[in-house]
Amino acid sequence: MGVIDYTITEEDKQRFNTDGYWISPKLIDDDTIARLREAHERVWTRKYDGFGLPMHHYHPTDNPLALRKFDNGWWINDEVRSVVTDRNLGKMAAELLDEESIRLWHDQVIYKPGTNGQETSAGNVGWHQDYGYWRCSSTPNMCTVWIALQDTDLSNGGMMTILGSHKWGAVEGSDTFFEQDMSKLKAKFATRDWVEEPCILKAGQASFHHALTFHGSGTNYSPDPRLSVVAHLMPGHTYYRESRQRHDNLRYLSARPVPGMKFDNEEYFPTLYSKS
Ligand SMILES: O=C(O)CCC(=O)C(=O)O
């Protein structure tokens, strides 16, 4: 079974618009969760479906407690592909963002090792805005769907969002995913009301956060890794907006991308959902 068909309510939308994020009901069943957990095991030992390669493989081998991640798991794993390109995921995003259609921007497969009580910041994800990395996109009206593959809360390094921070606009220097000193980042960004909200999820639930919502995560004190699959989604009309910042997605527009080109190459940016 794929992602459940859930219709976003007015209350869900209001929550997303006010808080900058929304917690979904359980979107995938236990079999799918088990298959995605198995997918995690395979990909970290470089067992791939097909002949492609993922992007931005980040797996520091000198520290077993370091965060691991890569982008575009859908290129090399069939289970990840079926979830991150699911129409129902796109439909929920379209309803939350008030958009006609939704495409995949890229995905992420994230593994945060469990420290079993050990103090370390090696698995931290620094406070950041996703749009801090996506300034070449014509719109910040994008969202991230973070799907938990186990029950997740602050004890196992769950994500936290900053309430209402999507209303702050695109903050300079917010591409700080890989910085691990949370206090230093807080001192940099907490120039307004800084309210940290934990995203508490049961396995199979997801948090949908706006691309401008500040978020980050701390230590996974549990003995087990925290596994997730993440879909970054954009409206179907998104095009390349000139910006100083480069993003690897520009490679999938053209060898010589020019501002105004739409991210509509179906092969790399598949349509998940279209109203019409
Ligand atoms: O996995 C985390 O703790 C954060 C992930 C993240 O920043 C994202 O999915 O946008």
Side-chain angles (χ1 to χ4, degrees), residues 73-116:
W74 74 280
W75 292 359
I76 50 101
N77 184 275
D78 296 338
E79 295 299 335
V80 172
R81 179 190 177 111
S82 88
V83 171
V84 302
T85 59
D86 194 292
R87 176 183 185 277
N88 290 338
L89 216 55
K91 182 166 150 276
M92 281 181 268
E95 288 162 358
L96 286 171
L97 295 171
D98 244 328
E99 295 285 356
E100 291 287 308
S101 65
I102 292 291
R103 288 179 183 276
L104 184 65
W105 173 246
H106 68 81
D107 71 31
Q108 282 193 86
V109 176
I110 307 181
Y111 178 110
K112 186 187 290 218
T115 72
N116 209 3

CSV table of all heavy atoms in Angstrom, one decimal, residues 73-116:
chain,number,residue,atom,x,y,z
A,73,GLY,N,17.3,9.5,-3.0
A,73,GLY,CA,17.2,8.1,-2.7
A,73,GLY,C,16.3,7.4,-3.7
A,73,GLY,O,16.4,6.3,-4.0
A,74,TRP,N,15.4,8.2,-4.3
A,74,TRP,CA,14.4,7.7,-5.3
A,74,TRP,C,15.2,7.2,-6.5
A,74,TRP,O,14.6,6.4,-7.3
A,74,TRP,CB,13.3,8.6,-5.6
A,74,TRP,CG,13.5,9.8,-6.4
A,74,TRP,CD1,14.1,11.0,-6.1
A,74,TRP,CD2,13.2,9.9,-7.8
A,74,TRP,NE1,14.2,11.8,-7.2
A,74,TRP,CE2,13.6,11.2,-8.2
A,74,TRP,CE3,12.6,9.1,-8.8
A,74,TRP,CZ2,13.4,11.7,-9.5
A,74,TRP,CZ3,12.4,9.5,-10.1
A,74,TRP,CH2,12.8,10.8,-10.4
A,75,TRP,N,16.4,7.7,-6.8
A,75,TRP,CA,17.1,7.3,-8.0
A,75,TRP,C,17.6,5.8,-7.8
A,75,TRP,O,18.0,5.2,-8.8
A,75,TRP,CB,18.3,8.2,-8.2
A,75,TRP,CG,18.0,9.6,-8.6
A,75,TRP,CD1,16.7,10.1,-8.8
A,75,TRP,CD2,18.9,10.6,-8.9
A,75,TRP,NE1,16.8,11.4,-9.2
A,75,TRP,CE2,18.1,11.8,-9.3
A,75,TRP,CE3,20.3,10.8,-8.9
A,75,TRP,CZ2,18.7,13.0,-9.6
A,75,TRP,CZ3,20.8,12.0,-9.2
A,75,TRP,CH2,20.1,13.1,-9.5
A,76,ILE,N,17.8,5.4,-6.5
A,76,ILE,CA,18.5,4.2,-6.3
A,76,ILE,C,17.8,3.2,-5.4
A,76,ILE,O,18.3,2.2,-5.0
A,76,ILE,CB,19.9,4.4,-5.8
A,76,ILE,CG1,19.9,5.3,-4.5
A,76,ILE,CG2,20.9,5.0,-6.8
A,76,ILE,CD1,20.0,4.7,-3.2
A,77,ASN,N,16.6,3.5,-5.0
A,77,ASN,CA,15.8,2.6,-4.2
A,77,ASN,C,14.3,2.6,-4.6
A,77,ASN,O,13.7,3.7,-4.6
A,77,ASN,CB,16.0,2.8,-2.7
A,77,ASN,CG,15.3,1.8,-1.9
A,77,ASN,OD1,14.1,1.9,-1.6
A,77,ASN,ND2,16.0,0.7,-1.5
A,78,ASP,N,13.8,1.5,-4.9
A,78,ASP,CA,12.4,1.4,-5.4
A,78,ASP,C,11.3,1.8,-4.3
A,78,ASP,O,10.3,2.4,-4.6
A,78,ASP,CB,12.1,0.0,-6.0
A,78,ASP,CG,12.9,-0.3,-7.2
A,78,ASP,OD1,13.4,0.7,-7.8
A,78,ASP,OD2,13.1,-1.5,-7.5
A,79,GLU,N,11.6,1.4,-3.1
A,79,GLU,CA,10.7,1.7,-2.0
A,79,GLU,C,10.6,3.2,-1.7
A,79,GLU,O,9.6,3.8,-1.5
A,79,GLU,CB,11.1,1.0,-0.7
A,79,GLU,CG,11.0,-0.5,-0.8
A,79,GLU,CD,9.6,-1.1,-1.1
A,79,GLU,OE1,8.6,-0.4,-0.7
A,79,GLU,OE2,9.5,-2.2,-1.6
A,80,VAL,N,11.8,3.8,-1.7
A,80,VAL,CA,11.9,5.2,-1.4
A,80,VAL,C,11.2,5.9,-2.6
A,80,VAL,O,10.3,6.8,-2.4
A,80,VAL,CB,13.3,5.7,-1.3
A,80,VAL,CG1,13.4,7.2,-1.3
A,80,VAL,CG2,14.0,5.1,-0.1
A,81,ARG,N,11.4,5.5,-3.8
A,81,ARG,CA,10.8,6.1,-5.0
A,81,ARG,C,9.3,6.0,-4.9
A,81,ARG,O,8.6,7.0,-5.1
A,81,ARG,CB,11.3,5.3,-6.2
A,81,ARG,CG,10.7,5.8,-7.5
A,81,ARG,CD,11.0,4.9,-8.6
A,81,ARG,NE,10.3,5.3,-9.8
A,81,ARG,CZ,11.0,5.8,-10.9
A,81,ARG,NH1,12.3,5.9,-10.9
A,81,ARG,NH2,10.4,6.2,-11.9
A,82,SER,N,8.7,4.9,-4.5
A,82,SER,CA,7.3,4.8,-4.5
A,82,SER,C,6.7,5.7,-3.4
A,82,SER,O,5.6,6.2,-3.7
A,82,SER,CB,6.8,3.3,-4.4
A,82,SER,OG,6.7,2.9,-3.1
A,83,VAL,N,7.3,5.9,-2.3
A,83,VAL,CA,6.8,6.8,-1.3
A,83,VAL,C,6.9,8.3,-1.7
A,83,VAL,O,6.0,9.1,-1.6
A,83,VAL,CB,7.3,6.5,0.1
A,83,VAL,CG1,6.9,7.6,1.1
A,83,VAL,CG2,6.9,5.2,0.6
A,84,VAL,N,8.2,8.7,-2.1
A,84,VAL,CA,8.4,10.2,-2.3
A,84,VAL,C,7.7,10.7,-3.6
A,84,VAL,O,7.7,11.9,-3.8
A,84,VAL,CB,9.9,10.6,-2.2
A,84,VAL,CG1,10.5,10.2,-0.9
A,84,VAL,CG2,10.7,10.0,-3.4
A,85,THR,N,7.3,9.8,-4.4
A,85,THR,CA,6.6,10.2,-5.7
A,85,THR,C,5.1,9.9,-5.6
A,85,THR,O,4.4,10.0,-6.6
A,85,THR,CB,7.2,9.6,-6.9
A,85,THR,OG1,7.1,8.2,-6.8
A,85,THR,CG2,8.6,9.9,-7.1
A,86,ASP,N,4.6,9.6,-4.4
A,86,ASP,CA,3.2,9.2,-4.3
A,86,ASP,C,2.3,10.4,-4.5
A,86,ASP,O,2.5,11.4,-3.9
A,86,ASP,CB,3.0,8.6,-2.9
A,86,ASP,CG,1.7,7.8,-2.8
A,86,ASP,OD1,0.6,8.5,-2.8
A,86,ASP,OD2,1.7,6.6,-2.6
A,87,ARG,N,1.3,10.1,-5.3
A,87,ARG,CA,0.3,11.2,-5.6
A,87,ARG,C,-0.3,11.8,-4.3
A,87,ARG,O,-0.5,13.0,-4.2
A,87,ARG,CB,-0.8,10.6,-6.5
A,87,ARG,CG,-1.9,11.5,-6.8
A,87,ARG,CD,-3.0,10.9,-7.6
A,87,ARG,NE,-4.0,11.8,-8.0
A,87,ARG,CZ,-5.1,12.2,-7.2
A,87,ARG,NH1,-5.2,11.7,-6.0
A,87,ARG,NH2,-5.9,13.1,-7.7
A,88,ASN,N,-0.6,10.9,-3.4
A,88,ASN,CA,-1.3,11.4,-2.2
A,88,ASN,C,-0.5,12.4,-1.3
A,88,ASN,O,-1.0,13.2,-0.7
A,88,ASN,CB,-1.8,10.2,-1.3
A,88,ASN,CG,-3.0,9.5,-2.0
A,88,ASN,OD1,-3.6,10.1,-2.9
A,88,ASN,ND2,-3.2,8.3,-1.7
A,89,LEU,N,0.8,12.1,-1.4
A,89,LEU,CA,1.8,13.1,-0.7
A,89,LEU,C,1.7,14.4,-1.4
A,89,LEU,O,1.6,15.5,-0.7
A,89,LEU,CB,3.2,12.5,-0.8
A,89,LEU,CG,4.2,12.7,0.3
A,89,LEU,CD1,3.6,12.1,1.6
A,89,LEU,CD2,5.5,12.0,-0.1
A,90,GLY,N,1.7,14.4,-2.7
A,90,GLY,CA,1.6,15.6,-3.5
A,90,GLY,C,0.2,16.3,-3.2
A,90,GLY,O,0.2,17.6,-3.1
A,91,LYS,N,-0.8,15.5,-3.1
A,91,LYS,CA,-2.2,16.1,-2.9
A,91,LYS,C,-2.2,16.9,-1.6
A,91,LYS,O,-2.7,18.0,-1.5
A,91,LYS,CB,-3.2,15.0,-3.0
A,91,LYS,CG,-4.6,15.5,-2.8
A,91,LYS,CD,-5.6,14.4,-3.2
A,91,LYS,CE,-6.9,14.5,-2.5
A,91,LYS,NZ,-6.9,13.8,-1.2
A,92,MET,N,-1.7,16.3,-0.6
A,92,MET,CA,-1.7,16.9,0.8
A,92,MET,C,-0.8,18.2,0.7
A,92,MET,O,-1.3,19.3,1.2
A,92,MET,CB,-1.1,16.0,1.8
A,92,MET,CG,-2.1,15.0,2.3
A,92,MET,SD,-1.4,13.9,3.6
A,92,MET,CE,-0.7,12.6,2.6
A,93,ALA,N,0.3,18.2,0.0
A,93,ALA,CA,1.2,19.4,-0.1
A,93,ALA,C,0.5,20.4,-0.9
A,93,ALA,O,0.5,21.6,-0.5
A,93,ALA,CB,2.5,19.0,-0.7
A,94,ALA,N,-0.2,20.1,-2.0
A,94,ALA,CA,-1.0,21.0,-2.8
A,94,ALA,C,-2.0,21.7,-1.9
A,94,ALA,O,-2.2,23.0,-2.0
A,94,ALA,CB,-1.6,20.3,-4.0
A,95,GLU,N,-2.7,21.0,-1.1
A,95,GLU,CA,-3.8,21.5,-0.3
A,95,GLU,C,-3.2,22.5,0.8
A,95,GLU,O,-3.7,23.5,1.1
A,95,GLU,CB,-4.6,20.4,0.3
A,95,GLU,CG,-5.5,19.8,-0.8
A,95,GLU,CD,-6.1,18.4,-0.4
A,95,GLU,OE1,-5.8,17.9,0.7
A,95,GLU,OE2,-6.8,17.8,-1.2
A,96,LEU,N,-2.1,22.0,1.4
A,96,LEU,CA,-1.5,22.9,2.5
A,96,LEU,C,-0.9,24.2,1.9
A,96,LEU,O,-1.0,25.2,2.5
A,96,LEU,CB,-0.4,22.1,3.2
A,96,LEU,CG,-0.8,21.0,4.1
A,96,LEU,CD1,0.4,20.2,4.6
A,96,LEU,CD2,-1.6,21.6,5.4
A,97,LEU,N,-0.3,24.0,0.7
A,97,LEU,CA,0.4,25.2,0.1
A,97,LEU,C,-0.5,26.0,-0.8
A,97,LEU,O,-0.1,27.1,-1.3
A,97,LEU,CB,1.6,24.8,-0.7
A,97,LEU,CG,2.8,24.1,0.0
A,97,LEU,CD1,3.8,23.5,-1.0
A,97,LEU,CD2,3.5,25.1,1.0
A,98,ASP,N,-1.8,25.5,-1.0
A,98,ASP,CA,-2.7,26.2,-1.9
A,98,ASP,C,-2.2,26.3,-3.3
A,98,ASP,O,-2.1,27.4,-3.9
A,98,ASP,CB,-3.0,27.6,-1.4
A,98,ASP,CG,-4.4,27.7,-1.0
A,98,ASP,OD1,-5.2,27.1,-1.6
A,98,ASP,OD2,-4.7,28.5,0.0
A,99,GLU,N,-1.7,25.2,-3.8
A,99,GLU,CA,-1.1,25.1,-5.2
A,99,GLU,C,-1.9,24.1,-6.0
A,99,GLU,O,-2.5,23.2,-5.5
A,99,GLU,CB,0.4,24.7,-5.1
A,99,GLU,CG,1.3,25.7,-4.4
A,99,GLU,CD,1.6,27.0,-5.2
A,99,GLU,OE1,1.2,27.0,-6.4
A,99,GLU,OE2,2.2,27.9,-4.7
A,100,GLU,N,-1.9,24.3,-7.3
A,100,GLU,CA,-2.6,23.5,-8.2
A,100,GLU,C,-1.9,22.2,-8.5
A,100,GLU,O,-2.5,21.1,-8.7
A,100,GLU,CB,-2.7,24.2,-9.6
A,100,GLU,CG,-3.6,25.4,-9.6
A,100,GLU,CD,-5.0,25.0,-9.6
A,100,GLU,OE1,-5.5,24.2,-10.4
A,100,GLU,OE2,-5.7,25.6,-8.7
A,101,SER,N,-0.6,22.2,-8.5
A,101,SER,CA,0.2,21.0,-8.7
A,101,SER,C,1.5,20.9,-8.0
A,101,SER,O,2.0,22.0,-7.5
A,101,SER,CB,0.4,20.8,-10.2
A,101,SER,OG,1.3,21.9,-10.7
A,102,ILE,N,2.0,19.7,-7.8
A,102,ILE,CA,3.2,19.6,-7.0
A,102,ILE,C,4.2,18.6,-7.7
A,102,ILE,O,3.8,17.6,-8.2
A,102,ILE,CB,2.8,19.0,-5.6
A,102,ILE,CG1,2.0,19.9,-4.7
A,102,ILE,CG2,4.0,18.5,-4.8
A,102,ILE,CD1,2.7,21.2,-4.2
A,103,ARG,N,5.4,19.0,-7.6
A,103,ARG,CA,6.5,18.2,-8.2
A,103,ARG,C,7.5,17.9,-7.0
A,103,ARG,O,7.6,18.7,-6.1
A,103,ARG,CB,7.3,18.9,-9.3
A,103,ARG,CG,6.6,19.1,-10.6
A,103,ARG,CD,7.5,19.8,-11.6
A,103,ARG,NE,6.7,20.0,-12.8
A,103,ARG,CZ,6.7,19.1,-13.8
A,103,ARG,NH1,7.3,18.0,-13.7
A,103,ARG,NH2,6.0,19.4,-14.9
A,104,LEU,N,8.3,16.8,-7.3
A,104,LEU,CA,9.4,16.5,-6.4
A,104,LEU,C,10.6,17.5,-6.7
A,104,LEU,O,11.0,17.5,-7.8
A,104,LEU,CB,9.8,15.1,-6.5
A,104,LEU,CG,10.9,14.5,-5.6
A,104,LEU,CD1,10.4,14.5,-4.1
A,104,LEU,CD2,11.3,13.1,-6.0
A,105,TRP,N,11.1,18.1,-5.6
A,105,TRP,CA,12.3,18.9,-5.8
A,105,TRP,C,13.5,18.0,-5.6
A,105,TRP,O,14.3,17.9,-6.5
A,105,TRP,CB,12.3,20.1,-4.8
A,105,TRP,CG,13.4,20.9,-4.6
A,105,TRP,CD1,14.2,21.0,-3.5
A,105,TRP,CD2,13.9,21.9,-5.5
A,105,TRP,NE1,15.2,22.0,-3.7
A,105,TRP,CE2,15.1,22.6,-4.9
A,105,TRP,CE3,13.6,22.3,-6.8
A,105,TRP,CZ2,15.8,23.6,-5.5
A,105,TRP,CZ3,14.3,23.4,-7.4
A,105,TRP,CH2,15.4,23.9,-6.8
A,106,HIS,N,13.6,17.3,-4.5
A,106,HIS,CA,14.5,16.2,-4.3
A,106,HIS,C,14.1,15.5,-3.0
A,106,HIS,O,13.2,16.0,-2.3
A,106,HIS,CB,16.0,16.6,-4.4
A,106,HIS,CG,16.5,17.4,-3.2
A,106,HIS,ND1,16.8,16.8,-2.0
A,106,HIS,CD2,16.8,18.7,-3.1
A,106,HIS,CE1,17.3,17.8,-1.2
A,106,HIS,NE2,17.2,18.9,-1.8
A,107,ASP,N,14.7,14.4,-2.7
A,107,ASP,CA,14.4,13.7,-1.5
A,107,ASP,C,15.7,13.6,-0.6
A,107,ASP,O,16.7,14.1,-1.1
A,107,ASP,CB,13.8,12.3,-1.7
A,107,ASP,CG,14.7,11.3,-2.2
A,107,ASP,OD1,15.9,11.4,-1.9
A,107,ASP,OD2,14.3,10.4,-2.9
A,108,GLN,N,15.5,13.1,0.6
A,108,GLN,CA,16.7,12.9,1.4
A,108,GLN,C,16.4,11.6,2.2
A,108,GLN,O,15.3,11.3,2.6
A,108,GLN,CB,16.8,13.9,2.5
A,108,GLN,CG,17.4,15.2,2.1
A,108,GLN,CD,17.8,16.1,3.3
A,108,GLN,OE1,18.8,15.9,3.9
A,108,GLN,NE2,16.8,16.9,3.7
A,109,VAL,N,17.5,10.8,2.4
A,109,VAL,CA,17.4,9.6,3.3
A,109,VAL,C,18.3,10.0,4.4
A,109,VAL,O,19.5,10.3,4.2
A,109,VAL,CB,17.9,8.4,2.5
A,109,VAL,CG1,17.9,7.2,3.4
A,109,VAL,CG2,16.9,8.1,1.3
A,110,ILE,N,17.8,10.0,5.6
A,110,ILE,CA,18.6,10.5,6.8
A,110,ILE,C,18.7,9.4,7.9
A,110,ILE,O,17.7,8.8,8.2
A,110,ILE,CB,18.0,11.8,7.4
A,110,ILE,CG1,17.8,12.8,6.3
A,110,ILE,CG2,18.9,12.3,8.5
A,110,ILE,CD1,17.2,14.1,6.8
A,111,TYR,N,19.9,9.2,8.4
A,111,TYR,CA,20.1,8.2,9.4
A,111,TYR,C,20.9,8.9,10.5
A,111,TYR,O,22.0,9.4,10.3
A,111,TYR,CB,21.0,7.1,8.8
A,111,TYR,CG,21.5,6.0,9.7
A,111,TYR,CD1,21.0,4.7,9.5
A,111,TYR,CD2,22.5,6.2,10.6
A,111,TYR,CE1,21.4,3.6,10.2
A,111,TYR,CE2,22.9,5.1,11.4
A,111,TYR,CZ,22.4,3.8,11.2
A,111,TYR,OH,22.8,2.8,12.0
A,112,LYS,N,20.2,9.0,11.7
A,112,LYS,CA,20.9,9.6,12.9
A,112,LYS,C,21.2,8.5,13.9
A,112,LYS,O,20.3,7.9,14.5
A,112,LYS,CB,20.0,10.7,13.5
A,112,LYS,CG,20.8,11.4,14.6
A,112,LYS,CD,19.9,12.3,15.4
A,112,LYS,CE,19.5,13.5,14.5
A,112,LYS,NZ,19.4,14.8,15.3
A,113,PRO,N,22.5,8.1,14.0
A,113,PRO,CA,22.9,7.0,14.9
A,113,PRO,C,22.4,7.3,16.4
A,113,PRO,O,22.4,8.4,16.8
A,113,PRO,CB,24.4,7.0,14.8
A,113,PRO,CG,24.8,7.7,13.6
A,113,PRO,CD,23.7,8.8,13.4
A,114,GLY,N,22.1,6.2,17.1
A,114,GLY,CA,21.8,6.3,18.5
A,114,GLY,C,23.1,6.4,19.3
A,114,GLY,O,24.0,5.6,19.0
A,115,THR,N,23.1,7.2,20.3
A,115,THR,CA,24.4,7.3,21.1
A,115,THR,C,24.3,6.5,22.4
A,115,THR,O,25.3,6.4,23.1
A,115,THR,CB,24.7,8.8,21.5
A,115,THR,OG1,23.7,9.2,22.5
A,115,THR,CG2,24.6,9.7,20.3
A,116,ASN,N,23.1,6.0,22.7
A,116,ASN,CA,22.9,5.2,24.0
A,116,ASN,C,23.3,6.1,25.2
A,116,ASN,O,24.0,5.6,26.0
A,116,ASN,CB,23.7,3.9,23.9
A,116,ASN,CG,23.0,2.8,24.7
A,116,ASN,OD1,22.0,3.0,25.3
A,116,ASN,ND2,23.7,1.7,24.8
